[in-house]
Amino acid sequence: MADGAFPERASGAPDASPVLVIRAKRLVADGSTLLEPGVAVVQNGLLTCVASAGRGEPAEVCAAIANGAQVLETELLVPGFIDIHTHGIGGSDEIRDFWRHPEVTQSKVVRYGTTSLLATMIFPASGPSIPAKNEVCAGTNAKAKLKFCGWCAADDGCVCTVAGPRMAEDVLEIASTLKSIIGQVGHGAVLEGIHAEGPIVESLGGLPLGDAEMSLNAFQKLLDLLGPALKIMTIAPSCEARSTTPFERMELLLSRGVRPALGHDTSCSLEEIAGALRVAAAHHTVLHVTHTFNVQRFHHRECGLANVALLPRFPRLPVFEGVTPPTIELIGDGVHAALPVLQLALASKPTGTACFITDGISEPVLGKESKYADRVATVERDANGGIGVYSVGADSGKKLLVGSCIMILDAFRTAVQVLDVGLCRAVDLCCCTPAAVARLPHTGSLAPRRRADLVLLDGDLDVCKVFVAGRLAYSRRDSGAPSLSLAKLKVRAEKWRRMARVQYGLRVKQTPKNGRLKGKLSTYRAELRSVGQSPTEDDSSKVEAPLALLALFDGQSSADARAPGPHAAEWCCRHVHTKLIRNLISLPPNSVNTTFLKAILIKTFEDLDRELLVSQPGIQDGCGAALALLAGDQLLTAVVGRCSAIVVEPGEDGEAVGTGVLHNLGKNQGRCDLPGEQSWLRQHGGVVFRTQKR
Ligand SMILES: CC(=O)N[C@@H]1[C@@H](O)[C@H](O)[C@@H](COP(=O)(O)O)O[C@@H]1O
């Protein structure tokens, strides 16, 4: 496969940019190189040095620092992720229009470390002014015959003398939009080219109807239209093998330097697949396979495309003589192929022959609806809890999965944290192999003269910073925010943990009649004697206001569900901290006072309630909630529904609330409005505050 460094300055990069040095505890340069620690130097948009820093930093790095280079430190540094199969994730209500607005997807995905994309185009055969199949655009008569041809370059009417492809007009517009921005830096992820998913497909899967029987002439016009932007084209081997002149369209792709990707074929035979591989071998090219497993066949006797795709080498059989196994791509969401199946595929294919793709089509917002070539496509959860996009088959009319909601970052994390393939293999899957398959030698690994596409991650594999061609394209917002250091969000004191346990013991069984998370809201502020003191240790961390959060959600019934259930409570439990943190970091600097914090607690409940109602139609039950936020030396509580919060302050000896008590909160637990319960709590060292209604 083609390999090489970027010849000169990365396109679009400034002439002279400040030198940047990045020190990483772990630096993964490519599928086989892990440097612990490692260091990289960036200048003028390119990497100039990538080295181990185990025995001190190389002279080049020291010189750069001495000359005033900016220095960054990170836990993990990897090459930017590359997605060679994505339909885009926004910009329109109609999925097939996403690539009319590529900047929307480019700017969204870069936040998740994707620095290069191939825009996946589809070729629906519908539209306002499509030449009928085999209709001839003939010279001067063309204007009268067709409102718009588009397949010839003439400005004053069609000059075609051959049949045009049956193609919707929007395909032409999208192609021209994409071509105008290929290789440009500065919009987020770089659009590196086009992956054409079709039109020569045998099995549609979720694709809209297209012209799978396109003539060679029409096919040639399509390739002319896409030009060198076209890097990969998905093509069905059975369509090619069964055409009157077998494999002629594939030959055309190969002669133009486009990589054919076998796919969307559930009927191809072993001989037909091997035939396609043989044509590629004659061009010294390795074929690729589009979303292995999806819209394909795996059978233990009658081998389909997936059987062949998974082979690391071919058995000694005449049918496979002289051919090389293809590279493969896998939709890394655990929905299109179950995780054990992904594990199997990765165990079978060696490094350098498999890559993760997203086949992205939407953001992961449950219940979100879009149009997909005039069908409705909805983000739904499958039986295993995974999220995907579902619609109906254009030919079958049956419900089916049509795309994913993930980022390459999700697949990277899955590779490391679930499939346990190690960092190097994960980088190979998400960076190196996709770059090789799409022939993008300027990116995909960390080496001198490669474009400086970099992802800085923390120990949890969360993205901290992303650079594209040496320019900062994304930086996580946890610096320069208010004085609250959110990274330090934690329960600090043993006393506070005891309180948490006491509060956790309170579970009430009440049934508000409407809403999911509704009721009166109250906030309360208490200045406590013995909890939440300013930090005395590790002052170097400059934590001005340590934070601790306790959130209790109690599953209850709702207007939609008569019986109480755990679902709303569990959902709130998983999302409350992100809502709270988002609201906290939106505070302007120096505005962290009780008034603002109260407002933020209220807004956090409102955000939770709204999102629960809008994005989780499947959740019918409701919940009450009690939330306690310790900020510096102040404790604020907020209660919604009929859930209670009780503040228990230990006595002088700190032992007033012992573990024995936790199992015996009294038969009136949760009813701190009762005088008996209050005195019980006081006897056990507790302080009961009456909340104020708003
Ligand atoms: C753009 C595209 O083609 N995406 C395919 C979709 O067509 C197919 O229906 C689905 C499930 O395929 P399966 O049911 O064969 O696993 O996988 C991918 O999302």
Side-chain angles (χ1 to χ4, degrees):
M1 229 165 266
D3 190 28
F6 204 71
E8 49 195 68
R9 187 170 64 81
S11 69
D15 281 321
S17 52
V19 179
L20 174 65
V21 170
I22 305 176
R23 292 179 171 138
K25 285 191 187 153
R26 290 173 297 169
L27 183 158
V28 189
D30 54 40
S32 58
T33 317
L34 170 64
L35 307 173
E36 284 186 284
V39 63
V41 182
V42 177
Q43 191 166 13
N44 292 336
L46 301 178
L47 285 156
T48 57
C49 167
V50 178
S52 164
R55 296 190 181 160
E57 288 173 340
E60 196 176 338
V61 176
C62 302
I65 295 172
N67 286 330
Q70 185 194 351
V71 181
L72 289 177
E73 303 204 341
T74 185
E75 195 71 35
L76 176 62
L77 179 64
V78 300
F81 301 133
I82 300 175
D83 193 355
I84 60 170
H85 189 149
T86 169
H87 296 264
I89 55 163
S92 168
D93 291 337
E94 165 61 70
I95 291 167
R96 76 184 228 208
D97 283 343
F98 284 176
W99 290 128
R100 280 180 195 264
H101 311 282
E103 67 289 349
V104 175
T105 297
Q106 289 174 287
S107 61
K108 282 187 181 172
V109 302
V110 80
R111 303 166 62 87
Y112 302 91
T114 299
T115 54
S116 290
L117 291 171
L118 289 192
T120 301
M121 283 185 70
I122 57 173
F123 301 92
S126 61
S129 54
I130 311 142
K133 195 177 171 197
N134 297 328
E135 185 168 3
V136 175
C137 305
T140 51
N141 293 331
K143 267 188 177 165
K145 276 187 157 183
L146 301 169
K147 185 175 135 236
F148 182 81
C149 165
W151 298 101
C152 60
D155 291 334
D156 57 350
C158 301
V159 291
C160 305
T161 54
V162 292
R166 283 201 316 153
M167 201 69 59
E169 200 173 287
D170 58 2
V171 170
L172 311 177
E173 291 164 25
I174 290 168
S176 104
T177 302
L178 291 173
K179 280 161 64 180
S180 70
I181 58 159
I182 280 172
Q184 281 181 15
V185 172
H187 307 287
V190 180
L191 188 84
E192 308 276 359
I194 293 170
H195 174 165
E197 193 168 7
I200 314 299
V201 295
E202 180 272 339
S203 192
L204 286 176
L207 291 178
L209 282 163
D211 184 4
E213 290 162 19
M214 187 177 277
S215 70
L216 184 65
N217 274 328
F219 189 72
Q220 193 162 350
K221 280 170 179 281
L222 177 60
L223 299 195
D224 289 344
L225 173 86
L226 299 173
L230 181 62
K231 303 285 182 190
I232 299 175
M233 180 179 271
T234 296
I235 188 160
S238 68
C239 295
E240 280 299 272
R242 295 170 203 173
S243 86
T244 40
T245 322
F247 297 110
E248 62 179 354
R249 289 168 296 200
M250 233 184 78
E251 288 271 8
L252 197 57
L253 289 176
L254 288 160
S255 67
R256 292 186 177 216
V258 179
R259 191 180 299 285
L262 305 182
H264 276 272
D265 198 337
T266 51
S267 81
C268 54
S269 67
L270 207 53
E271 288 70 25
E272 287 169 340
I273 301 164
L277 294 170
R278 203 163 296 116
V279 172
H283 285 258
H284 310 287
T285 299
V286 175
L287 290 186
H288 186 57
V289 171
T290 298
H291 44 56
T292 315
F293 301 115
N294 303 113
V295 208
Q296 294 194 12
R297 198 163 45 82
F298 185 97
H299 193 274
H300 56 292
R301 273 190 298 275
E302 285 155 29
C303 293
L305 192 44
N307 296 75
V308 175
L310 289 178
L311 289 170
R313 60 192 158 76
F314 287 138
R316 284 177 202 266
L317 291 172
V319 69
F320 290 125
E321 221 157 87
V323 300
T324 314
T327 55
I328 63 166
E329 61 183 39
L330 299 157
I331 304 176
D333 62 353
V335 173
H336 280 76
L339 293 168
V341 175
L342 292 180
Q343 186 95 57
L344 176 74
L346 298 189
S348 180
K349 296 295 276 187
T351 296
T353 65
C355 60
F356 273 137
I357 55 157
T358 64
D359 198 1
I361 215 164
S362 173
E363 290 182 277
V365 181
L366 273 176
K368 184 175 174 8
E369 285 191 353
S370 322
K371 276 193 182 160
Y372 188 21
D374 295 331
R375 295 163 291 167
V376 175
T378 314
V379 179
E380 291 179 35
R381 204 182 277 288
D382 69 8
N384 301 317
I387 296 178
V389 185
Y390 293 81
S391 186
V392 290
D395 47 0
S396 67
K398 291 187 184 148
K399 179 173 175 178
L400 47 74
L401 188 57
V402 295
S404 95
C405 300
I406 58 158
M407 296 284 158
I408 292 288
L409 173 67
D410 298 302
F412 181 78
R413 287 187 184 138
T414 300
V416 176
Q417 296 168 339
V418 183
L419 305 176
D420 207 13
V421 299
L423 281 172
C424 283
R425 183 78 202 270
V427 162
D428 180 69
L429 290 162
C430 300
C431 317
C432 314
T433 300
V437 170
R439 297 193 174 99
L440 309 173
H442 51 281
T443 186
S445 59
L446 304 183
R449 296 184 62 214
R450 291 280 198 288
R451 196 170 68 196
D453 295 347
L454 312 165
V455 187
L456 284 67
L457 301 130
D458 65 18
D460 295 326
L461 304 186
D462 283 330
V463 174
C464 304
K465 284 188 170 31
V466 181
F467 288 86
V468 178
R471 297 183 191 180
L472 184 64
Y474 169 72
S475 182
R476 193 164 71 185
R477 279 185 64 191
D478 54 9
S479 55
S483 51
L484 293 166
S485 173
L486 302 167
K488 308 277 176 195
L489 188 77
K490 59 186 179 181
V491 176
R492 296 182 67 89
E494 181 61 24
K495 291 166 190 166
W496 175 248
R497 278 202 283 141
R498 282 207 194 98
M499 289 165 58
R501 276 194 237 137
V502 171
Q503 294 201 349
Y504 185 73
L506 300 174
R507 292 192 67 83
V508 290
K509 291 267 176 290
Q510 281 151 7
T511 53
K513 286 286 173 279
N514 49 33
R516 299 282 156 76
L517 208 165
K518 291 214 168 116
K520 285 196 174 144
L521 184 81
S522 61
T523 56
Y524 192 80
R525 177 193 167 202
E527 284 179 22
L528 303 176
R529 273 187 292 121
S530 53
V531 295
Q533 287 155 359
S534 294
T536 49
E537 80 276 352
D538 77 349
D539 271 348
S540 57
S541 64
K542 301 208 171 48
V543 181
E544 287 175 44
L547 284 174
L549 171 69
L550 174 75
L552 171 70
F553 295 96
D554 185 42
Q556 297 172 4
S557 64
S558 73
D560 297 328
R562 288 207 172 160
H567 304 294
E570 278 172 13
W571 186 88
C572 289
C573 196
R574 273 186 273 117
H575 292 87
V576 63
H577 61 291
T578 54
K579 303 266 173 297
L580 180 72
I581 288 171
R582 195 169 301 137
N583 288 330
L584 283 169
I585 61 179
S586 68
L587 276 179
N590 306 321
S591 59
V592 183
N593 57 41
T594 311
T595 311
F596 276 98
L597 287 172
K598 274 185 178 178
I600 271 173
L601 287 181
I602 294 165
K603 180 158 185 322
T604 300
F605 276 149
E606 288 169 352
D607 290 350
L608 268 178
D609 196 28
R610 193 179 316 114
E611 194 172 317
L612 178 60
L613 286 165
V614 170
S615 77
Q616 304 295 312
I619 296 180
Q620 298 288 307
D621 56 30
C623 67
L627 194 145
L629 177 70
L630 182 66
D633 60 356
Q634 295 175 49
L635 176 72
L636 292 98
T637 67
V639 173
V640 71
R642 297 182 69 188
C643 210
S644 287
I646 302 169
V647 177
V648 181
E649 194 176 7
E652 290 300 310
D653 59 1
E655 295 300 324
V657 183
T659 40
V661 179
L662 298 176
H663 304 294
N664 181 21
L665 280 170
K667 62 179 191 279
N668 290 321
Q669 60 166 310
R671 307 223 28 213
C672 43
D673 51 316
L674 300 178
E677 186 74 355
Q678 286 179 13
S679 67
W680 184 90
L681 283 162
R682 287 196 182 101
Q683 273 167 26
H684 288 82
V687 179
V688 180
F689 298 93
R690 198 174 291 278
T691 55
Q692 294 161 345
K693 301 238 160 89
R694 286 169 73 238

